[in-house]
Amino acid sequence: MKLKYYIATCLVSAGMLIACQDDFADLNSRPSDISTPNVRFLFTECLVNVEPMDYSAWHYDVPRLASWTQTSVGTGGNTDNFNLITEQGSIGSHVDRLLRMTNEVRYQISQMNEADKAKYGYIEYLLNPLLVMIGMNDSDMYGSRQYSEAERARYTDPPLLLPKYDTQEELIELWVKELDLTINYLTSNKINDALGSQDFIYNGDVAKWAKLANSMKVKLAARLINTNKQRALELVNQAAASPAGLLTSSEDDLIYNRGKNNNHWNNDFPEALANDVLLNFMKKNHDTRLLSVFTKNDFNSIVVQAFLDQNKQLPPYIEENAIIEVNGSKKTFTAWKGDGEPWVRYYGAPLEIGAGQDDANKWIFNPTGTLFTLKTSAGADKTYRALSFRNQEIVKGIYDFTYPDAPDVAPDKDIEQTPWYGIFFSAAEVNLLLAEFKLLGANLPQSAQAYLTEGSRLSAYMYDKAAELNKVPYYNRVSVNDKLDKSIKINSAMVEAMLDNDAFKLTGSVRDQLEKVYIQQYIHYIMNPVDQFVNVRRSGVPMKNSTVLPWQAFDKKLDYTNRIPRRFKVSEPAPTDKLYEITLQAWKDQNYSYGSNNSDPTILNSERVWYDKNAPQFGAGPNVQ
C-alpha cells in the first residue's frame, strides 16, 4: 500500500513538472521492502485533494446559489421553482478527502525519530489552513459536520468507525485552535524548507503559509458577526497583531493549479446569464472585474455589419450603441457610441420570475430562437449570442473558443490547451473583510476607506490574473478580423478610474458605509459562489430600496425574501446506515426538518445554521444602526 503513495504522487508531480529530487533507489526495490511513505510526497497528494468546488457543485448547487444571490439568471429566465432544491451537488462533502490524507501525514510524522520530526514536523501544520478553508466551505450550507473524529479509524484502537458531528460553534473554535497551532509553530521555529516544488502552492515559502493561516482567522471571524460579534472582533484583532502578518499583496494569494494537463474536470456545467442590474452597476462604474467574470457577447462590429447586410433587425440595446450610416438602401456600421469596446459588448437579463416568457423581453431571451440568426450562403442558420454569460473558462480550463464573425467566413479559433488555475483565497478578500471589521470596531491600523480601496484594487487585479492564467477569450488576443475589437486585459489607469467612482467611496452613516463594503465583497466573491452566498446571507446586502445596488423583487406581488433557502436540505439516513442515530441526532440538535417538509423553501429559510440564526433577512441590510 505504501508504494502507491510514491507512484501516485510522483505521477502527479510529473504532470506539474515537479522534480522529485530524492534518490529513487527504493522504487526499484521489492514492494515489501518499502515500508515508509515519503511525507513530502504525501503532502503533495494532500494538495491534490484540495477541492472546494468540484463538477457536481458547479452543475447542481451553483446555479441555485447564483440565482438566489441575484448574480445570474438561467438562460430561459427564472421560473417559479427557482427557489426549490431538487438534485444536490457535492457542497458539504469535500473536506473528507483532505482529512484522510492529512491524517496519514500526521501519523507518519508521529512515527519519525526526533531528527526527522525536527526536519519534517512543520509539514503537517501547513495543511491546517487548507482544512479550515475546505471545512468552512462544507459547513456553510449544512452546519454541523463530521470533522474532529472523521477519517481516523485507521489510527485508533479500537477503530473510530462512528465519528461524531461537531456543531458549527465547536468547529469554529476547533479551526481557530488549528490555525493558532500553525501560526505559533511557523513563527516560533527556524524551519529549513524540505518541500520546495513539492509545495505547488507556495513553493516552500513557510512565511506565506503562516500568513495564510493568520488571514484565515479573519475569514472565520466574518461568519461570527451576527452570532458572536465580540468573538469575531477578538479574532480579527489577534490576526492584526500576529507576527505572522496577513495576506497583503497578490504575491500572497492562494493560486491553485494541479498541473499542466489538469483542466479541473471534463464536463460543462449549466450556463447562466448575468443579472442585468448587477452587470449595469459594474458597467456604470467601469468595474474591470466585469470584463473577465462575464463574457463578451457575439455582436462585434463584423456581426453588426452582417446583420445590416442581411437586412436583419439588430437587438435594440445593441443598435442604440452603434453608429450606423445610411446611404440609400446601404447601411454601414462605423463606430461604437459611448465607452465602446470592450464595455459595449456586455448585456444582462432580468431576474423577475416569468421574464423569459414575457414578449417584452423577446430581445433578451429570444423565445423563438430566430432573432439572433443569420443565413449562410448554403441557407443554414448561424446563431449569435447577444448577452453575457458567466465565464466558464475561469472555472474550468482547456476550452476551445471561436471568435464571432460573419456567415461563411473561415472561423478564427483559439484552440490552445491551457490548464486551470483557481484563486481560492487572496489579499483582496482579506482587505475587504478588514474594511468591514474596521467599521464594526476592530483595532486595525488603517481606515476602512484604505482597506476598501486596496481590497477593491487587489480584487480587480486578481480577476485580471485569473483571466490571464486561464487564457480566457479576448485576454491574450482578440478577433483577427474585427479591427475594433479590444482586449479585456486591464491596466492601472482603468483600475484607478474604477476606484474614483462614488460606489468605492465611504460616506454617510456606518450602515451606509457597510453597504458599500458588502457590495464590493459581493462582487469579489462572484468566482466563489458559496462565499458569495454566505456574504449575502450574513450582510443582508444587496438591500431593498438601495440607491447603490438594490435587492430586486423576484415577483411583483409576492415577497420572496423569506422563500429563499438559507441552507441546503438534509435527508433522513437509511435505518441500515451505521451512522443513522448519529446523523439523525445532528439534524435534531439543529432543529432541522427532513422528509417531506425538507423541500419547503420557507422552512429552509427559517431553519438556519448556527452562525446564521441572528443574521438579517435577504435584502434587509446589515444588523447595525
Side-chain angles (χ1 to χ4, degrees):
M1 186 202 73
K2 306 295 184 183
L3 179 62
K4 73 177 182 181
Y5 292 122
Y6 283 109
I7 295 174
T9 311
C10 287
L11 284 175
V12 169
S13 300
M16 290 179 286
L17 300 180
I18 292 177
C20 299
Q21 301 293 335
D22 294 36
D23 184 355
F24 285 91
D26 283 349
L27 293 179
N28 298 317
S29 304
R30 292 172 300 176
S32 59
D33 292 338
I34 301 174
S35 60
T36 305
N38 189 315
V39 73
R40 295 170 61 247
F41 301 161
L42 286 177
F43 176 81
T44 303
E45 185 70 6
C46 286
L47 297 192
V48 170
N49 281 276
V50 172
E51 177 56 86
M53 299 282 289
D54 64 9
Y55 163 71
S56 70
W58 279 94
H59 185 84
Y60 295 110
D61 299 330
V62 169
R64 293 189 187 93
L65 295 179
S67 178
W68 298 343
T69 58
Q70 305 197 341
T71 302
S72 60
V73 180
T75 53
N78 281 331
T79 59
D80 58 8
N81 67 350
F82 85 102
N83 60 336
L84 300 180
I85 299 176
T86 51
E87 303 91 346
Q88 289 182 219
S90 58
I91 289 176
S93 61
H94 289 129
V95 79
D96 289 345
R97 294 191 296 269
L98 183 56
L99 266 175
R100 188 177 309 130
M101 294 303 306
T102 299
N103 284 336
E104 179 66 14
V105 169
R106 290 166 174 167
Y107 173 75
Q108 292 300 331
I109 290 175
S110 74
Q111 301 302 300
M112 290 178 176
N113 59 43
E114 293 306 312
D116 283 345
K117 280 184 181 178
K119 182 177 181 180
Y120 298 112
Y122 78 98
I123 291 176
E124 67 175 286
Y125 293 97
L126 305 186
L127 296 169
N128 284 338
L130 300 178
L131 284 168
V132 173
M133 179 180 72
I134 304 299
M136 195 187 320
N137 196 79
D138 278 2
S139 177
D140 281 331
M141 299 305 296
Y142 290 96
S144 298
R145 296 279 86 190
Q146 291 169 302
Y147 184 87
S148 64
E149 296 182 354
E151 305 294 342
R152 291 183 56 202
R154 183 181 171 194
Y155 312 103
T156 56
D157 186 18
L160 185 57
L161 299 176
L162 303 175
K164 70 171 185 174
Y165 276 80
D166 301 299
T167 69
Q168 206 168 53
E169 186 174 13
E170 291 170 337
L171 286 169
I172 292 284
E173 292 307 317
L174 177 58
W175 291 333
V176 169
K177 181 179 178 180
E178 290 182 342
L179 293 174
D180 283 340
L181 286 171
T182 295
I183 295 163
N184 293 337
Y185 191 96
L186 298 184
T187 57
S188 302
N189 294 278
K190 180 175 175 55
I191 297 170
N192 294 316
D193 175 58
L195 287 170
S197 55
Q198 291 296 139
D199 169 12
F200 62 80
I201 291 179
Y202 285 132
N203 202 35
D205 190 332
V206 175
K208 288 185 178 180
W209 282 103
K211 284 184 178 182
L212 176 68
N214 193 40
S215 300
M216 201 64 67
K217 291 178 71 173
V218 180
K219 190 179 180 84
L220 272 179
R223 264 70 175 169
L224 293 174
I225 63 164
N226 294 297
T227 298
N228 192 341
K229 179 181 174 183
Q230 200 56 43
R231 179 60 170 150
L233 292 173
E234 180 183 359
L235 293 177
V236 173
N237 290 339
Q238 288 174 6
S242 171
L246 295 164
L247 304 184
T248 56
S249 77
S250 59
E251 298 300 315
D252 299 328
D253 290 353
L254 197 171
I255 300 178
Y256 185 85
N257 168 245
R258 289 193 183 107
K260 66 178 182 180
N261 295 317
N262 183 268
N263 66 333
H264 206 186
W265 61 74
N266 292 321
N267 305 83
D268 293 335
F269 57 94
E271 291 188 308
L273 293 165
N275 171 19
D276 58 358
V277 172
L278 171 61
L279 185 147
N280 290 337
F281 173 78
M282 296 178 75
K283 189 154 63 168
K284 172 187 174 183
N285 290 290
H286 278 198
D287 193 322
T288 61
R289 293 165 292 190
L290 168 65
L291 305 179
S292 53
V293 75
F294 296 117
T295 61
K296 280 189 181 186
N297 72 2
D298 289 343
F299 280 77
N300 60 18
S301 64
I302 299 172
V303 173
V304 170
Q305 186 60 54
F307 267 70
L308 297 176
D309 291 343
Q310 292 196 16
N311 200 29
K312 187 75 179 280
Q313 185 176 351
L314 287 163
Y317 46 87
I318 292 174
E319 185 172 15
E320 71 182 14
N321 282 310
I323 299 175
I324 299 171
E325 291 184 354
V326 180
N327 186 3
S329 62
K330 176 66 175 176
K331 296 180 179 179
T332 304
F333 172 85
T334 60
W336 292 112
K337 294 178 182 177
D339 296 328
E341 279 272 9
W343 306 100
V344 76
R345 300 278 297 281
Y346 292 86
Y347 300 93
L351 56 74
E352 186 176 314
I353 293 170
Q357 290 74 51
D358 188 340
D359 189 61
N361 296 318
K362 69 177 183 179
W363 285 104
I364 297 172
F365 294 104
N366 189 20
T368 64
T370 60
L371 295 177
F372 306 146
T373 61
L374 295 176
K375 292 291 185 181
T376 67
S377 58
D381 287 335
K382 184 172 182 179
T383 302
Y384 299 89
R385 294 178 172 218
L387 302 182
S388 297
F389 293 75
R390 180 186 285 275
N391 195 335
Q392 294 205 8
E393 202 157 346
I394 276 187
V395 177
K396 173 187 174 295
I398 314 184
Y399 267 102
D400 291 343
F401 180 75
T402 300
Y403 289 89
D405 215 320
D408 300 317
V409 174
D412 176 17
K413 291 187 175 182
D414 176 3
I415 58 174
E416 183 179 0
Q417 298 295 291
T418 57
W420 177 72
Y421 290 81
I423 303 180
F424 291 162
F425 194 47
S426 66
E429 179 178 352
V430 174
N431 274 275
L432 290 171
L433 291 173
L434 293 178
E436 170 189 356
F437 278 108
K438 182 67 175 184
L439 291 170
L440 293 176
N443 183 22
L444 299 171
Q446 298 185 52
S447 67
Q449 180 65 70
Y451 288 120
L452 175 63
T453 300
E454 184 62 11
S456 301
R457 178 182 289 111
L458 288 169
S459 180
Y461 286 115
M462 190 202 83
Y463 272 79
D464 184 71
K465 186 69 172 179
E468 177 186 18
L469 290 172
N470 291 296
K471 298 185 178 179
V472 304
Y474 300 103
Y475 191 91
N476 296 90
R477 73 178 185 89
V478 296
S479 172
V480 297
N481 294 327
D482 181 8
K483 294 181 181 178
L484 297 182
D485 205 1
K486 294 287 182 65
S487 170
I488 62 171
K489 183 177 182 179
I490 69 173
N491 55 49
S492 59
M494 295 170 70
V495 175
E496 296 309 311
M498 175 189 85
L499 296 174
D500 196 42
N501 287 291
D502 288 343
F504 297 85
K505 303 292 178 62
L506 297 182
T507 56
S509 67
V510 171
R511 183 180 170 88
D512 292 338
Q513 295 178 61
L514 276 171
E515 180 195 5
K516 288 186 175 181
V517 170
Y518 286 134
I519 286 172
Q520 293 312 316
Q521 292 177 1
Y522 166 69
I523 292 173
H524 174 78
Y525 285 135
I526 292 175
M527 275 201 304
N528 297 295
V530 175
D531 280 330
Q532 188 188 44
F533 182 80
V534 170
N535 172 258
V536 172
R537 186 175 67 181
R538 71 185 185 83
S539 69
V541 174
M543 56 191 287
K544 295 178 181 178
N545 303 315
S546 169
T547 59
V548 186
L549 177 63
W551 176 267
Q552 303 151 68
F554 286 101
D555 186 89
K556 287 186 174 70
K557 298 179 180 178
L558 192 62
D559 185 359
Y560 267 81
T561 53
N562 67 341
R563 296 170 180 264
I564 300 172
R566 296 179 73 94
R567 63 167 176 88
F568 284 163
K569 65 181 184 180
V570 298
S571 301
E572 181 178 3
T576 55
D577 190 332
K578 295 294 185 183
L579 293 170
Y580 178 79
E581 295 294 342
I582 294 175
T583 303
L584 221 56
Q585 191 61 49
W587 302 159
K588 290 178 180 177
D589 289 345
Q590 296 175 92
N591 296 313
Y592 285 0
S593 297
Y594 49 86
S596 59
N597 287 335
N598 193 32
S599 297
D600 186 334
T602 60
I603 289 176
L604 294 175
N605 181 283
S606 61
E607 295 178 356
R608 306 182 179 191
V609 302
W610 173 73
Y611 59 62
D612 184 42
K613 289 187 181 298
N614 299 316
Q617 189 56 275
F618 290 114
N623 279 337
V624 65
Q625 299 302 316

